[in-house]
Amino acid sequence: MLDAVSANEHQQANEELVYDPNRLLDALIQQLRLKNDAALSRALEVAPPVISKIRHRRLPVGASMLIRMHEVSGLTIRDLRYLMGDRRQKFRVSDSQGKPTE
């Protein structure tokens, strides 16, 4: 019985580490006491298809979206990233990004 409990806890911990934008969107809906994705899109002032594309993983949650979610919800960027499963401590920018093309 003890092994089954620890296995279940291990599975839950692994599920939290997986990238899942749905968990982030659902948490925002709950935090803001909204009814659905359409209400969330109105609160974030984005078009409803943007939320749908994020949910279906056709569009990543970008920096500007995270900032808007932070402004509307009051949750920290770190908390928002944690909710969606992003555990990176640092973001690295490649040398080629931001340089003009020759």
Side-chain angles (χ1 to χ4, degrees):
M1 179 67 179
L2 187 58
D3 290 331
V5 172
S6 62
N8 190 26
E9 289 174 0
H10 183 68
Q11 181 181 357
Q12 288 176 344
N14 284 339
E15 287 174 2
E16 291 175 7
L17 296 175
V18 175
Y19 173 75
D20 185 8
N22 291 323
R23 186 173 37 228
L24 170 63
L25 297 175
D26 291 340
L28 284 171
I29 288 171
Q30 183 178 8
Q31 170 83 13
L32 299 172
R33 295 181 176 85
L34 301 172
K35 283 182 151 183
N36 52 33
D37 286 352
L40 180 61
S41 71
R42 286 190 295 274
L44 295 174
E45 298 178 356
V46 298
V50 171
I51 301 298
S52 177
K53 287 177 183 178
I54 290 172
R55 252 201 212 279
H56 294 97
R57 298 182 186 198
R58 290 192 304 261
L59 183 69
V61 179
S64 58
M65 180 62 73
L66 276 176
I67 291 169
R68 187 66 188 140
M69 290 172 172
H70 160 69
E71 291 171 345
V72 170
S73 70
L75 294 170
T76 66
I77 299 293
R78 177 173 289 174
D79 289 343
L80 293 168
R81 288 178 48 223
Y82 184 84
L83 283 168
M84 92 175 141
D86 186 355
R87 303 295 189 274
R88 294 175 292 181
Q89 295 297 317
K90 293 183 179 181
F91 291 97
R92 301 190 199 294
V93 179
S94 79
D95 291 337
S96 64
Q97 286 180 316
K99 290 185 179 179
T101 56
E102 295 178 12

